[in-house]
Amino acid sequence: MVEYYIPKWEEIEEGILNMTERMLSEDFIPDVIVAILTGGVIPAKLMSDVLGIKNMRYIDVKFYKGVGNRESKPIVRAVYVDNIENKKVLVIDDVSDTGETLDFVGNVIAMFNPSLVRTATIFVKPWSRKYPDYYYKVVDKWIIFPWDKWEVVRENTEAPVDKKERFLEILKRLRKTG
């Protein structure tokens, strides 16, 4: 049985602020933020708002097919990266589970010749072979983020999330019309 960790928005915000304070203590302010789609989009937006950075890029990489079910290697779907040559880049995702996605994206970003690349995730798993440069907390459970909880419930209706019954009713209605 899968054990879940369900962070509240307050914890997400605390994580972003904590990582930002550590970045500032190291005098690291990125010129560009690169979000790893899809889980890194919201953390990247929160970080960009805190830092006042409007220069955001995206890399669409898929590693997980579902809860505990992953591809053998990260698969690139799209790269929306330009104008990062000689710039300081912060790559953001929501969690580093194995570290392979961060490694993979770091290699892709390096092809664009930035001056410096650092990584950040809100959470990291204790077994990750690559820890990001900045992270908030180590968690050893499957994390259900507010932005992807319905995806988890679609796959596992036993997932303990708020408003689940309402979502399942909507899902049932969608399946009738589809």
Side-chain angles (χ1 to χ4, degrees), residues 30-129:
D31 301 306
V32 180
I33 293 176
V34 176
I36 298 175
L37 298 180
T38 60
V41 171
I42 292 171
K45 172 63 171 134
L46 293 170
M47 182 70 77
S48 74
D49 285 350
V50 171
L51 291 170
I53 294 172
K54 301 298 181 206
N55 199 357
M56 287 183 59
R57 302 293 186 265
Y58 308 91
I59 294 185
D60 190 354
V61 176
K62 200 67 167 171
F63 200 9
Y64 277 89
K65 296 189 271 188
V67 176
N69 182 16
R70 60 188 184 105
E71 302 284 356
S72 60
K73 63 182 181 179
I75 297 171
V76 175
R77 293 174 158 174
V79 177
Y80 307 101
V81 176
D82 66 345
N83 195 26
I84 65 168
E85 188 171 350
N86 298 317
K87 303 245 170 99
K88 292 181 287 184
V89 175
L90 180 65
V91 175
I92 299 184
D93 206 353
D94 51 5
V95 62
S96 177
D97 194 321
T98 65
E100 290 181 62
T101 300
L102 289 177
D103 267 349
F104 185 80
V105 170
N107 290 334
V108 171
I109 294 295
M111 296 184 328
F112 292 88
N113 298 314
S115 63
L116 179 63
V117 177
R118 292 199 181 163
T119 57
T121 65
I122 301 169
F123 299 106
V124 64
K125 301 292 178 78
W127 50 79
S128 181
R129 66 179 180 82

